């Protein structure tokens, strides 16, 4: 069992003691670190969140709900410029939503699977207060109740070699975000407004709607079957 509340020391979850269970909200405060090592399974109760204001490192581990249709509350990442979450090979599933950026922070997602939010929530979202950076590399996002990625505010979103599919709405819904999307595959298209940055080598089987995008460069856009 992982004890909820606010961490007062470095928390390490090792495979030898897996699976772990978390049934109360957990806070990683500024100055503290939580590390989840390769091979760990962490089962999290309905609506329970992990709030990251310090450092979170997750390897090839699985964070999921307790089953039976339950959805945990996901990672809430923000607070300050020193807040950082690193997900390398992680399976982050059955949350609603799975990642929320709220404030300044740095989130790096690589070789990960992010999947299965509830019927009304995206997989990844940013709040209007977000001013950090999200980098998603060589990952799969799927089975979202709403958009796979929903962003607003001053966040910077970079996606490379990533696929999005089976989203309840469009794959990407972005407002006022700075983006760098390269070699991204979309099944459900995108709805973009007031975004800046670049989109290159995008393949989409759904429509891409754009408006007020004077600061956006688009190259090699392939709308398959539309």
């Amino acid at each position: 069992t992982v004890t909820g509340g606010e961490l007062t020391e470095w928390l390490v979850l090792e495979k030898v003691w897996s699976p772990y269970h978390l049934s109360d909200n957990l806070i990683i405060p500024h100055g503290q670190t939580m590390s989840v090592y390769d091979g760990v399974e962490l089962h999290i109760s309905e609506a329970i969140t992990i709030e990251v204001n310090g450092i979170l490192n997750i390897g090839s581990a699985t964070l999921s709900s307790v089953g039976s249709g339950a959805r945990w509350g996901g990672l809430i990442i923000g607070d300050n410029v020193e807040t950082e979450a690193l997900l390398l090979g992680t399976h982050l599933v059955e949350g609603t939503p799975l990642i929320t950026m709220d404030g300044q922070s740095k989130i790096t997602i690589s070789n990960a699977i992010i999947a299965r939010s509830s019927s009304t929530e995206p997989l990844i979202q940013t709040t209007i207060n977000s001013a950090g950076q999200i980098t998603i590399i060589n990952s799969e996002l799927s089975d979202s109740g709403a958009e796979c990625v929903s962003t607003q505010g001053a966040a910077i979103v970079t996606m490379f070699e990533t696929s999005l599919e089976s989203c309840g709405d469009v794959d990407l819904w972005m407002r006022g975000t700075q983006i760098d999307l390269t070699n991204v595959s979309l099944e459900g298209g995108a709805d973009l407004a007031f975004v800046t940055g670049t989109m290159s080598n995008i393949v989409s089987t759904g429509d891409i709607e754009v408006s007020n995008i004077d600061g956006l460069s688009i190259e090699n856009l392939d709308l398959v079957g539309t």
Side-chain angles (χ1 to χ4, degrees), residues 29-41:
H30 180 247
Q32 294 296 339
T33 299
M34 176 178 176
S35 297
V36 183
Y37 288 173
D38 293 352
V40 167
E41 294 183 13

Side-chain angles (χ1 to χ4, degrees), residues 50-102:
I50 298 176
E51 181 179 335
V52 184
N53 300 320
I55 305 296
L56 174 64
N57 295 314
I58 308 177
S60 297
T62 299
L63 277 66
S64 66
S65 75
V66 293
S68 301
R71 291 291 185 269
W72 63 292
L75 305 176
I76 302 173
I77 305 169
D79 187 55
N80 64 84
V81 296
E82 296 181 358
T83 297
E84 183 172 4
L86 185 63
L87 284 66
L88 302 179
T90 307
H91 288 195
L92 205 66
V93 298
E94 299 167 356
T96 179
L98 283 156
I99 297 176
T100 299
M101 173 184 278
D102 184 24

Side-chain angles (χ1 to χ4, degrees), residues 19-217:
Y20 295 86
H21 299 269
L22 175 65
S23 57
D24 294 298
N25 293 330
L26 180 64
I27 299 173
I28 307 169
H30 180 247
Q32 294 296 339
T33 299
M34 176 178 176
S35 297
V36 183
Y37 288 173
D38 293 352
V40 167
E41 294 183 13
L42 175 59
H43 302 299
I44 306 170
S45 296
E46 178 85 22
I48 295 302
T49 62
I50 298 176
E51 181 179 335
V52 184
N53 300 320
I55 305 296
L56 174 64
N57 295 314
I58 308 177
S60 297
T62 299
L63 277 66
S64 66
S65 75
V66 293
S68 301
R71 291 291 185 269
W72 63 292
L75 305 176
I76 302 173
I77 305 169
D79 187 55
N80 64 84
V81 296
E82 296 181 358
T83 297
E84 183 172 4
L86 185 63
L87 284 66
L88 302 179
T90 307
H91 288 195
L92 205 66
V93 298
E94 299 167 356
T96 179
L98 283 156
I99 297 176
T100 299
M101 173 184 278
D102 184 24
Q104 295 179 313
S105 60
K106 181 179 180 181
I107 303 171
T108 302
I109 302 167
S110 179
N111 296 286
I113 293 176
I114 313 293
R116 300 198 296 280
S117 64
S118 74
S119 60
T120 59
E121 297 287 352
L123 299 174
I124 299 173
Q125 68 178 7
T126 69
T127 70
I128 195 65
N129 299 318
S130 299
Q133 182 170 345
I134 302 176
T135 301
I136 305 173
I137 303 168
N138 195 30
S139 295
E140 299 177 11
L141 282 63
S142 66
D143 298 309
S144 172
E147 305 87 9
C148 276
V149 179
S150 175
T151 67
Q152 57 183 324
I156 301 171
V157 177
T158 300
M159 300 178 66
F160 178 74
E161 295 285 358
T162 292
S163 65
L164 296 84
E165 62 183 26
S166 300
C167 304
D169 205 332
V170 293
D171 294 347
L172 299 176
W173 185 92
M174 295 179 162
R175 294 293 185 270
T177 307
Q178 181 179 331
I179 63 174
D180 182 2
L181 311 182
T182 305
N183 296 335
V184 173
S185 174
L186 305 174
E187 182 185 67
D191 184 350
L192 312 175
F194 300 99
V195 299
T196 59
T198 62
M199 295 176 63
S200 62
N201 299 326
I202 307 297
V203 177
S204 178
T205 56
D207 295 338
I208 295 181
E209 299 184 12
V210 295
S211 60
N212 298 288
I213 54 166
D214 290 344
L216 180 66
S217 172

